[in-house]
Amino acid sequence: MSLLRQPLLALSRSAAVKKMATTLPVSSGIVARYVPGESTAEVIETVASLQAHGLRTSVDHLGEDTLDLDQAEATVRAYEEVLAASAEHGLAADGEVSVKLTAVGLALADGERVALENARRICRAARNAGSVVTIDMEDHTTTDVTLEIVQALRADFPDTGAVIQAYLHRSEDDCRALAVAGSRVRLCKGAYAEPETVAYTDRHQVDLAYVRCLRVLMQGGGHPMVATHDPRMVAIGTALARAAGRAPGSYEFQMLYGIRPQEQRRLVSEGETMRVYVPYGHEWYGYLMRRLAERPQNLSLFVKSLVAKT
């Protein structure tokens, strides 16, 4: 199955396959397994259900690589709407939102300025709602500008979270720079097709890099957010937190909606902070293909669903 990872990641940016796949209704088969809906009402219902079981949440309005200013504006308004709804339903304190900068204008002309202004709007809406923002990381070509924008946002919104992808060669140094008091840092393995010149591609090497980065974050002064579904990494994360003398709540685990829900609840039952990443919206295709790349055994389910509708 690991041989399928790179082809699936390539398909995540295929316009032809996207056009065919996105004819599926979001409620069908494999899509609904990972994306609970397209509307604000649907995602709020899901967030309420998760939080009722003691889980915290991070909502992602799907979309990336936009080259349309109006689409970037629509994405910002969608975040403002979902944050207002979270506050209205009493869900904001245990929730946050995750934002991809290319969804709010980074790839446009003068994209860094546009993305920063739009991200500021979302951070302001989050503060008004009683919530926070984490800026998602994308492929390696955007790493520097993303970290620069996070730093700029933290001047006014110091609780803005950063994301580090452990498979990049540079990430251990980035973790050292970010492991400071008050710094929220989500550590994931990485979900983009990257060249060997910038990233580890061997699974074992990626695992080792993840542990090295996690050790740096746990020993630092920030708030590590351990984003993994790997049982070994969960166990290592717990052990590193204990070795660093961390109290419950000074770090957290994060998993994607639809993946290992029983494990999510188990962690909560053991007193761990567990946050579920909840994506929603019409632009689910790229997100779904990266999830399939992480778990290629689900590909047969997706293909069956696609064939049944075409």
Side-chain angles (χ1 to χ4, degrees):
M1 285 296 184
S2 62
L3 296 176
L4 292 173
R5 174 174 164 79
Q6 293 302 321
L8 285 170
L9 289 173
L11 286 176
S12 73
R13 293 179 180 261
S14 168
V17 177
K18 176 182 177 180
K19 182 177 180 180
M20 179 174 64
T22 52
T23 60
L24 291 169
V26 75
S27 60
S28 67
I30 193 69
V31 182
R33 190 171 183 173
Y34 297 113
V35 182
E38 296 183 344
S39 69
T40 297
E42 287 170 316
V43 75
I44 288 295
E45 181 180 0
T46 298
V47 166
S49 176
L50 291 167
Q51 290 193 14
H53 289 93
L55 296 156
R56 299 187 184 186
T57 54
S58 184
V59 170
D60 172 25
H61 183 266
L62 293 171
E64 57 190 295
D65 297 332
T66 184
L67 298 175
D68 184 279
L69 188 60
D70 290 339
Q71 181 58 46
E73 172 65 23
T75 297
V76 175
R77 290 198 303 269
Y79 275 108
E80 292 172 335
E81 180 179 309
V82 80
L83 283 162
S86 295
E88 180 182 351
H89 289 83
L91 304 171
D94 284 335
E96 63 157 35
V97 295
S98 292
V99 179
K100 287 182 173 59
L101 292 177
T102 65
V104 295
L106 185 61
L108 297 170
D110 199 18
E112 186 171 352
R113 180 190 62 80
V114 173
L116 177 56
E117 289 182 0
N118 284 337
R120 278 201 177 107
R121 285 176 56 188
I122 297 170
C123 287
R124 190 174 301 113
R127 173 178 288 174
N128 292 340
S131 189
V132 295
V133 175
T134 292
I135 301 299
D136 273 332
M137 192 60 74
E138 302 179 64
D139 70 67
H140 80 279
T141 64
T142 66
T143 300
D144 283 327
V145 67
T146 299
L147 292 176
E148 289 167 6
I149 287 177
V150 168
Q151 183 177 10
L153 290 170
R154 285 181 171 181
D156 296 315
F157 308 96
D159 48 13
T160 301
V163 177
I164 296 297
Q165 300 180 108
Y167 68 172
L168 296 181
H169 297 158
R170 61 177 287 169
S171 290
E172 193 172 350
D173 288 337
D174 287 334
C175 284
R176 290 193 183 94
L178 288 165
V180 296
S183 177
R184 298 169 55 249
V185 183
R186 177 193 297 153
L187 180 67
C188 60
K189 288 185 179 179
Y192 292 84
E194 300 286 16
E196 293 183 356
T197 53
V198 300
Y200 299 106
T201 57
D202 175 76
R203 185 176 297 275
H204 180 62
Q205 291 299 319
V206 173
D207 287 348
L208 292 175
Y210 191 91
V211 173
R212 290 195 300 271
C213 289
L214 187 54
R215 180 177 290 110
V216 170
L217 294 176
M218 286 294 184
Q219 293 176 349
H223 180 87
M225 301 183 286
V226 188
T228 182
H229 307 104
D230 186 336
R232 297 169 302 159
M233 297 304 154
V234 171
I236 290 170
T238 302
L240 288 174
R242 290 174 180 168
R246 285 188 168 268
S250 68
Y251 64 96
E252 64 185 62
F253 290 98
Q254 297 190 354
M255 295 185 188
L256 299 172
Y257 176 79
I259 299 182
R260 304 195 72 203
Q262 292 182 337
E263 173 67 1
Q264 294 172 13
R265 295 190 185 186
R266 182 192 70 80
L267 287 167
V268 170
S269 72
E270 295 186 358
E272 299 286 3
T273 301
M274 175 69 234
R275 191 178 303 275
V276 182
Y277 188 99
V278 187
Y280 80 106
H282 299 278
E283 298 295 323
W284 49 262
Y285 173 75
Y287 173 86
L288 174 65
M289 295 307 292
R290 286 193 293 276
R291 301 296 75 77
L292 292 175
E294 292 165 1
R295 296 172 63 85
Q297 61 267 35
N298 289 330
L299 180 61
S300 62
L301 297 175
F302 177 67
V303 171
K304 288 177 183 177
S305 179
L306 182 61
V307 169
K309 297 291 181 180
T310 57

PDB file of all heavy atoms in Angstrom, residues 95 197 228 263:
ATOM      1  N   GLY A  95     -13.012  25.149  20.936  1.00  0.00           N
ATOM      2  CA  GLY A  95     -12.778  25.005  19.499  1.00  0.00           C
ATOM      3  C   GLY A  95     -11.779  26.036  19.004  1.00  0.00           C
ATOM      4  O   GLY A  95     -11.457  27.007  19.682  1.00  0.00           O
ATOM      5  N   THR A 197      15.186  16.059  -1.730  1.00  0.00           N
ATOM      6  CA  THR A 197      16.132  17.132  -1.414  1.00  0.00           C
ATOM      7  C   THR A 197      15.689  17.959  -0.213  1.00  0.00           C
ATOM      8  O   THR A 197      16.513  18.592   0.461  1.00  0.00           O
ATOM      9  CB  THR A 197      16.312  18.063  -2.621  1.00  0.00           C
ATOM     10  OG1 THR A 197      15.018  18.503  -3.062  1.00  0.00           O
ATOM     11  CG2 THR A 197      17.039  17.349  -3.752  1.00  0.00           C
ATOM     12  N   THR A 228      -1.183  13.127  15.325  1.00  0.00           N
ATOM     13  CA  THR A 228      -0.799  11.804  14.828  1.00  0.00           C
ATOM     14  C   THR A 228      -1.912  10.804  15.085  1.00  0.00           C
ATOM     15  O   THR A 228      -2.671  10.941  16.045  1.00  0.00           O
ATOM     16  CB  THR A 228       0.493  11.311  15.507  1.00  0.00           C
ATOM     17  OG1 THR A 228       0.864  10.036  14.963  1.00  0.00           O
ATOM     18  CG2 THR A 228       0.314  11.167  17.011  1.00  0.00           C
ATOM     19  N   GLU A 263     -10.089   5.692  19.654  1.00  0.00           N
ATOM     20  CA  GLU A 263      -8.844   6.113  20.290  1.00  0.00           C
ATOM     21  C   GLU A 263      -8.956   7.553  20.790  1.00  0.00           C
ATOM     22  O   GLU A 263      -8.440   7.889  21.864  1.00  0.00           O
ATOM     23  CB  GLU A 263      -7.676   5.985  19.304  1.00  0.00           C
ATOM     24  CG  GLU A 263      -6.345   6.540  19.794  1.00  0.00           C
ATOM     25  CD  GLU A 263      -5.749   5.751  20.963  1.00  0.00           C
ATOM     26  OE1 GLU A 263      -6.356   4.751  21.405  1.00  0.00           O
ATOM     27  OE2 GLU A 263      -4.665   6.145  21.440  1.00  0.00           O
TER      28      GLU A 263
END
